[in-house]
Amino acid sequence: MTETLAETTAQAEEPLAEFPMPRAAGCPFDPPPATRVLQNERPIAKVRLWDGSTPWLVTRHADQRALLGDPRVSSDPLVPGFPHPNEGFRENSKRRRTFLGMDDPEHARIRRMVTAPFAIKRVEALRPDIQKITDDLIDAMLAGPTPVDLVRAFALPLPSLVICRLLGVPYEDHDFFQKNSSVLINMASSVEDVVRANEALTDYLDNLVAAKLADPADDMLSELAARVRAGELTQREAANMGVLLLIAGHETTANMIALGTVALLEHPDQLAVLRETDDPKAVARAVEELLRYLSIVHNGRRRVALEDIEVGGETIRAGDGIILHTGTGNWDAEVFPEPERLDISRDARRHMAFGFGVHQCLGQPLARLELQVVYSTLYRRIPTLRLATGLDQLPFKHDGAVYGVYELPVTW
Amino acid sequence: MRVEVDVPKCVGSGQCVMIAPDVFDQREEDGIVVLLNDRPPAELHADVEESAVVCPAAAIRVVEK
Ligand code: SF4
């Protein structure tokens, strides 16, 4: 007991590492080196955030899974001690409550209202449509000049067209919602900008839900509108859910397409295997490995302890913030031998790129399908695809909630 | 092998259906797990074990080896 006390005091006196931690120059795909040192030396360690708070940073795969699956750990950003990533997020969490920030049973009740369209079979039925969208975008790119920005020409429009169609949002408005959604997930955005972007998007979705109430179609917003009519949701709650699905549908897959392409171009042997295979299982395996390797939700899943929890030799106290750095967990050599090696033939299914526990990504079957179609089509149809600039010139999204590149100039 | 699913726990992530489609399915109306075969044949045991490990909600249990 005395010893533990002494240790705690010793740790309190040491200056704590600041979080988030920077990546190493020249290693754009690797998790920050400091997180990997902690993983070896102090896998559950206190760190200091922007507001001076000192949550726990958890870096090992096993501890992360234990905590993410633990009902004593809350996702509610309104619980004191929750480690907000910045002021904008803290402000927004008061304004826009979604199932992402709720605990069971409320979380399960609301989440189940939107799970049906993401069931494996319903998503699989979209394969021909997604293939067509992919081929059309590649045709347009091939017909245009080079170099071209792969993000604007392909990586962003593809998931955007798909999620718009599923939700029933008119794609013509894409400039408006893409701009606002990128403000919302950029850590460098001011509080005012975040609040304004959130309001603009919520009002926009609110109007759409109202339109679907009057004139329903075969899409998710109409299903949500039906819930509003049945009194299960308020119109504002339905709009909040729409904002969440629209942003999630955009930012993640778009970044996986662009960043995945950069990673594959830097690993030509792996790219060649992917380009040549006809086996859908091999493609599916490659998708899992790229999800693991890149872990684009890169600054940690955030939680707060509701009770004292013993884990990995530490005691996390009730009210302590917890950051699960799943990007580092996905590079845990105990689960993924030689984690720094991109190996599209490995079995990477235990990765936590979609999170873990009850909040694990709802849209993962759709994301997987989009990535399988893209990775098995793009490099085959443009076999000479290459960067039109140096790797060191690419603008990486260090400040984003989702990692990726802002622009990807390519040629062929 | 005997398998059990804890339906109220399931979050409909579909991981089990992806890994072992002959053993697990999802309800049409909300994507929640449906157990198709609680005594899967030996050649599916590894996939079922993997589904239990990967299931984010710990809703799948292998009760008899
Ligand atoms: S993997 Fe688990 S949570 Fe996902 S559908 Fe199957 S039982 Fe449900």
Side-chain angles (χ1 to χ4, degrees):
Chain A
M1 187 68 209
T2 337
E3 219 174 76
T4 343
L5 254 178
E7 264 175 39
T8 323
T9 325
Q11 210 208 346
E13 279 163 9
E14 265 172 46
L16 294 182
E18 303 272 333
F19 187 83
M21 291 151 173
R23 292 183 190 242
C27 303
F29 312 119
D30 301 23
T35 63
R36 304 213 65 214
V37 171
L38 284 177
Q39 188 177 45
N40 282 322
E41 292 174 3
R42 200 175 176 112
I44 301 181
K46 287 243 172 162
V47 290
R48 190 177 306 280
L49 295 194
W50 62 282
D51 59 355
S53 63
T54 56
W56 297 95
L57 185 73
V58 182
T59 40
R60 272 190 200 159
H61 191 272
D63 298 334
Q64 292 175 355
R65 279 175 58 127
L67 287 165
L68 286 168
D70 193 322
R72 295 169 298 175
V73 171
S74 170
S75 285
D76 187 343
L78 303 181
V79 173
F82 187 92
H84 299 278
N86 66 15
E87 206 178 343
F89 271 69
R90 186 175 60 191
E91 272 310 302
N92 244 1
S93 62
K94 292 181 204 149
R95 290 157 207 263
R96 181 157 53 83
R97 252 173 80 65
T98 65
F99 59 87
L100 231 63
M102 296 174 188
D103 297 325
D104 281 341
E106 195 186 13
H107 158 263
R109 188 177 67 83
I110 307 283
R111 174 173 165 133
R112 283 182 184 200
M113 293 183 184
V114 282
T115 40
F118 298 106
I120 298 283
K121 283 181 186 157
R122 271 183 72 180
V123 167
E124 191 53 43
L126 301 172
R127 191 180 281 269
D129 282 349
I130 294 176
Q131 185 69 54
K132 170 99 174 45
I133 292 174
T134 304
D135 281 317
D136 290 351
L137 286 167
I138 296 174
D139 287 341
M141 231 167 40
L142 287 172
T146 61
V148 63
D149 175 11
L150 192 82
V151 174
R152 288 188 70 116
F154 183 76
L156 190 54
L158 186 133
S160 188
L161 282 159
V162 174
I163 196 67
C164 284
R165 200 172 292 180
L166 268 184
L167 277 176
V169 168
Y171 184 71
E172 299 77 74
D173 298 335
H174 66 99
D175 274 342
F176 162 78
F177 50 71
Q178 283 168 0
K179 209 170 286 157
N180 283 299
S181 130
S182 61
V183 170
L184 280 188
I185 70 151
N186 191 327
M187 293 294 156
S189 300
S190 71
V191 183
E192 297 73 42
D193 285 348
V194 166
V195 167
R196 203 176 308 126
N198 182 42
E199 237 137 67
L201 276 174
T202 315
D203 287 345
Y204 174 75
L205 262 303
D206 199 304
N207 286 331
L208 278 177
V209 173
K212 307 278 179 187
L213 262 171
D215 184 16
D218 183 17
D219 54 42
M220 289 185 71
L221 287 183
S222 298
E223 282 177 37
L224 287 175
R227 305 263 182 188
V228 174
R229 184 176 296 114
E232 292 172 46
L233 279 181
T234 66
Q235 186 167 315
R236 204 67 182 168
E237 284 169 334
N240 283 338
M241 199 120 91
V243 173
L244 177 68
L245 295 168
L246 189 63
I247 297 178
H250 268 89
E251 299 293 344
T252 48
T253 311
N255 282 302
M256 271 306 295
I257 295 172
L259 193 65
T261 299
V262 181
L264 287 165
L265 290 173
E266 291 299 306
H267 295 83
D269 55 323
Q270 301 294 301
L271 179 56
V273 176
L274 189 52
R275 194 188 280 131
E276 273 138 44
T277 185
D278 278 321
D279 178 5
K281 284 209 173 114
V283 175
R285 242 191 329 266
V287 167
E288 299 311 309
E289 170 65 350
L290 281 153
L291 285 164
R292 174 197 77 82
Y293 183 72
L294 298 170
S295 300
I296 55 169
V297 180
H298 70 138
N299 280 334
R301 261 80 185 178
R302 313 226 167 195
R303 299 289 191 271
V304 53
L306 297 176
E307 295 173 28
D308 291 0
I309 302 171
E310 303 281 339
V311 63
E314 291 285 352
T315 304
I316 295 179
R317 299 278 174 209
D320 284 354
I322 310 172
I323 299 178
L324 298 308
H325 204 268
T326 46
T328 305
N330 284 342
W331 280 47
D332 187 333
E334 292 205 4
V335 188
F336 308 104
E338 292 184 71
E340 56 292 332
R341 214 155 58 83
L342 175 68
D343 173 5
I344 62 167
S345 69
R346 83 161 84 216
D347 179 0
R349 284 184 297 199
R350 294 178 191 203
H351 71 71
M352 293 176 291
F354 291 117
F356 193 72
V358 297
H359 289 278
Q360 195 183 56
C361 173
L362 163 82
Q364 56 181 302
L366 180 62
R368 287 197 164 96
L369 174 59
E370 291 175 339
L371 295 174
Q372 288 167 10
V373 171
V374 167
Y375 293 154
S376 64
T377 307
L378 179 63
Y379 318 120
R380 211 181 265 218
R381 289 209 47 205
I382 317 183
T384 56
L385 187 78
R386 60 183 190 275
L387 295 184
T389 176
L391 184 70
D392 53 343
Q393 301 295 308
L394 289 177
F396 287 96
K397 294 184 176 177
H398 294 287
D399 51 359
V402 182
Y403 189 59
V405 283
Y406 285 107
E407 257 174 57
L408 183 55
V410 292
T411 187
W412 48 84
Chain B
M1 166 189 273
R2 196 162 65 80
V3 193
E4 271 180 6
V5 291
D6 191 341
V7 174
K9 274 191 176 177
C10 170
V11 291
S13 70
Q15 301 254 56
C16 54
V17 187
M18 189 177 79
I19 296 172
D22 294 327
V23 182
F24 304 103
D25 198 357
Q26 286 169 294
R27 295 201 299 232
E28 191 105 340
E29 65 276 19
D30 55 8
I32 297 306
V33 64
V34 176
L35 185 58
L36 298 175
N37 184 352
D38 71 345
R39 289 186 186 275
E43 66 270 21
L44 297 180
H45 286 187
D47 287 347
V48 171
E49 303 262 7
E50 182 73 10
S51 301
V53 171
V54 169
C55 171
I60 299 170
R61 273 201 315 153
V62 174
V63 283
E64 279 168 33
K65 291 273 168 175

